[in-house]
Amino acid sequence: MNKLQIFSLIALLLYFAVLLFAVTKEKKNQNILDYFFGGRTLPFWALSITFIASWWGAGSAISTADLAYSDGLGAFWYYGVPVLISTLLMIISAKAIRRVGYLTQGKMMEARYSKMTAKILSVMILLFMTFTAASQMVGIGDFFGTYMGMKYEFAIILGTGIVLIYSVFGGFRGVVLTDIIQFVLLLLSAIIVFIVSLKQAGGFSEIRATAEVLGKTDYMSITAGASKYMSYVITFGCAWMIQANVWQRISATKNDTDARKMTIMSFIAYIPLYLIVVFTGMAGIAIFDTLPKGGIITTIVMNYMPPLLGAFVFVGISAAIMSTMDSLINTGAMTFAIDLYPNQSSEEKKLAISRIATFAITLIALIIAISIRSILQISWIASDIITTGVFVPLIAGFIWRRGNSKGAMASMIVGFIYCIYNLLISFGINLPSFWEKQSTTQVFLGVCLSVFVYVAVSLCTKPEYEKADTFIALTKQEK
């Protein structure tokens, strides 16, 4: 190991020790409300930071920068635009989500539709959380592996092990506390990498000049990536708008006013954060002739920073990935423990099941990450499940009183089958289709099919106005 790797390993161990100390010194979890919602006592700014940290992960820190190297400012459409669209929709709906009073999406759908509908929805959410956590594990495996010279599998186990330990002990309050620490580290690291990369590139004028020499005429245009990444905007935007770990944070706020404040603060913060990552990747075009094997960010840190500064940034980028992973694992465990596992009378038993679920989801996600070594592919699989299977009945349940449980169940089943069908095609099975894999057409058809089935089945079956009116009325009561 060289000096940079030694310093980085020491910094990582210190970082882990600080997180573990912070979690163990926190108030002990007494029940499920504590373990998954912090007792609904946390301030909105702390929940906003954990919201930001949970979405600004491996895709933001690594993948977006590498895409920006090739596509320029248009790469902002890959992660930045879907996040902003999702958060804007959250701002509009945050008060309604908080007012209904139910802690999870599964419990909301049980009240709005039926128990069976809620179970099917919860299974899809659990799949989404597990696959998305796996995508972050791929990020930590690639990053640790390149930076520390480790084997991919060992790198994943190391990074995931750190997250698992403090997640099991701390629950949601521990996740929020560690996310605040992680956010400070990743913010400082992102700024440092941006400044160093821009200096090495010679400034924006040199980036523009290099792009012109290479014939990249739209490199400095933020609209250039709209058509290329539109399928991701639709899929990620719909999936993230209903992402259970964000709804968990909304449900954890003290009241509906705090829920709105949390989402507004997050929306404002996302704009500069994602632009920093994009600009860092764009700077690479004036530094490297080709995309470095380890990625733009990792290569800049390893080759253009002194060892101590590089070690600090290493921990900061690791924090970005871990802060997203811990959120996804915690919410997946919440979905299993509250929505899928049979109710138990003892709070101690519920807490034990929650910790076991945290461990099990981590293990399954780890297996997926080792098997499918692609952040983009895993993220797409996860988002497609939610977009085609859950988005329509969940959102429509808040606004259309004629929608009923039979329509919701049919929509979810058909959407899930459509998702599996496309998944089989993506794995090379020769099935008939007139749309391109992972295209805007594929996503649009899936959402339209889900809408059609939901509306048609609801209109052809008996209405459930009493349930619908009771649920929708809750969204309008101030709390």
Side-chain angles (χ1 to χ4, degrees):
M1 297 180 70
N2 57 39
K3 187 180 292 186
L4 173 62
Q5 292 172 330
I6 293 172
F7 285 164
S8 298
L9 184 59
I10 294 171
L12 182 65
L13 293 174
L14 290 173
Y15 163 76
F16 174 58
V18 169
L19 292 186
L20 196 58
F21 175 79
V23 167
T24 55
K25 287 298 180 181
E26 263 295 294
K27 179 183 176 182
K28 186 178 179 181
N29 294 296
Q30 300 293 331
N31 49 47
I32 288 291
L33 188 65
D34 276 342
Y35 193 78
F36 290 121
F37 300 94
R40 281 184 161 174
T41 60
L42 298 169
F44 80 88
W45 59 265
L47 292 169
S48 179
I49 289 175
T50 189
F51 177 12
I52 296 166
S54 68
W55 272 4
W56 206 43
S60 305
I62 299 171
S63 297
T64 302
D66 291 346
L67 289 172
Y69 173 85
S70 302
D71 298 337
L73 200 52
F76 187 73
W77 286 78
Y78 170 59
Y79 256 81
V81 172
V83 163
L84 291 176
I85 291 174
S86 301
T87 311
L88 180 61
L89 293 173
M90 290 282 187
I91 293 171
I92 297 170
S93 58
K95 285 192 173 184
I97 294 170
R98 179 61 180 84
R99 285 170 179 172
V100 296
Y102 298 102
L103 293 174
T104 67
Q105 291 173 335
K107 293 302 180 186
M108 291 177 194
M109 290 302 95
E110 183 177 337
R112 176 62 178 85
Y113 297 119
S114 66
K115 286 186 177 180
M116 183 56 67
T117 305
K119 294 295 184 186
I120 294 173
L121 177 138
S122 298
V123 168
M124 292 187 188
I125 291 173
L126 184 60
L127 287 172
F128 173 82
M129 290 298 155
T130 304
F131 270 87
T132 310
S135 74
Q136 300 303 308
M137 293 176 188
V138 173
I140 205 76
D142 286 337
F143 181 63
F144 275 22
T146 301
Y147 202 98
M148 301 295 293
M150 298 177 180
K151 286 187 176 181
Y152 174 73
E153 292 79 7
F154 180 74
I156 285 185
I157 293 171
L158 175 62
T160 303
I162 292 173
V163 173
L164 176 63
I165 290 171
Y166 72 72
S167 295
V168 168
F169 281 112
F172 182 70
R173 189 181 281 108
V175 167
V176 172
L177 178 61
T178 54
D179 277 357
I180 292 173
I181 298 170
Q182 290 166 329
F183 177 75
V184 173
L185 289 172
L186 68 91
L187 177 60
L188 292 175
S189 298
I191 292 172
I192 291 169
V193 175
F194 167 66
I195 292 172
V196 171
S197 64
L198 198 61
K199 182 179 178 181
Q200 291 296 324
F204 286 106
S205 59
E206 189 63 30
I207 295 172
R208 183 189 298 274
T210 304
E212 290 176 356
V213 170
L214 295 173
K216 295 178 178 289
T217 55
D218 294 329
Y219 202 72
M220 305 300 290
S221 170
I222 197 168
T223 60
S227 58
K228 179 176 181 179
Y229 295 108
M230 187 52 64
S231 60
Y232 294 99
V233 171
I234 297 172
T235 303
F236 289 171
C238 292
W240 295 345
M241 189 267 166
I242 60 169
Q243 195 162 317
N245 58 330
V246 179
W247 285 43
Q248 178 187 12
R249 281 146 181 75
I250 292 173
S251 295
T253 55
K254 296 176 182 178
N255 50 54
D256 56 7
T257 301
D258 272 11
R260 176 68 64 82
K261 288 179 180 179
M262 183 199 77
T263 51
I264 291 174
M265 178 179 170
S266 301
F267 180 87
I268 294 171
Y270 280 133
I271 297 173
L273 290 176
Y274 279 96
L275 283 175
I276 285 174
V277 175
V278 171
F279 286 140
T280 299
M282 291 171 65
I285 198 175
I287 304 173
F288 309 107
D289 294 331
T290 59
L291 180 66
K293 184 178 179 181
I296 295 294
I297 291 177
T298 306
T299 306
I300 287 173
V301 175
M302 292 179 69
N303 295 345
Y304 296 99
M305 291 185 186
L308 283 175
L309 184 61
F312 176 83
V313 172
F314 165 75
V315 172
I317 297 173
S318 301
I321 303 171
M322 292 180 185
S323 61
T324 302
M325 194 194 306
D326 62 25
S327 169
L328 296 164
I329 291 170
N330 182 262
T331 307
M334 175 196 73
T335 301
F336 180 83
I338 296 179
D339 296 331
L340 292 173
Y341 193 80
N343 289 331
Q344 302 292 325
S345 57
S346 168
E347 284 294 336
E348 288 185 5
K349 190 165 186 178
K350 288 180 182 179
L351 283 172
I353 293 299
S354 300
R355 292 189 170 97
I356 292 171
T358 299
F359 180 82
I361 289 167
T362 303
L363 181 60
I364 295 169
L366 186 64
I367 294 170
I368 294 170
I370 292 174
S371 304
I372 308 174
R373 191 173 170 175
S374 170
I375 295 175
L376 192 58
Q377 185 179 359
I378 295 176
S379 296
W380 179 275
I381 292 170
S383 297
D384 201 27
I385 292 171
I386 295 295
T387 302
T388 58
V390 174
F391 180 78
V392 172
L394 182 59
I395 298 302
F398 281 78
I399 57 178
W400 193 44
R401 67 190 294 260
R402 185 61 179 85
N404 61 20
S405 56
K406 290 183 174 63
M409 188 176 299
S411 175
M412 286 191 290
I413 292 172
V414 171
F416 186 67
I417 291 172
Y418 178 81
C419 171
I420 296 300
Y421 187 87
N422 284 292
L423 183 60
L424 293 175
I425 293 174
S426 69
F427 285 158
I429 298 177
N430 188 21
L431 296 172
S433 67
F434 59 85
W435 55 87
E436 293 182 14
K437 292 187 299 182
Q438 299 185 1
S439 64
T440 303
T441 302
Q442 176 187 321
V443 179
F444 182 74
L445 285 174
V447 174
C448 288
L449 180 63
S450 183
V451 171
F452 174 78
V453 171
Y454 178 75
V455 172
V457 175
S458 293
L459 291 176
C460 292
T461 53
K462 186 178 179 181
E464 299 167 347
Y465 288 133
E466 185 176 351
K467 274 188 175 182
D469 290 342
T470 301
F471 184 84
I472 293 173
L474 290 174
T475 68
K476 300 175 182 178
Q477 296 178 2
E478 294 190 13
K479 292 182 180 181

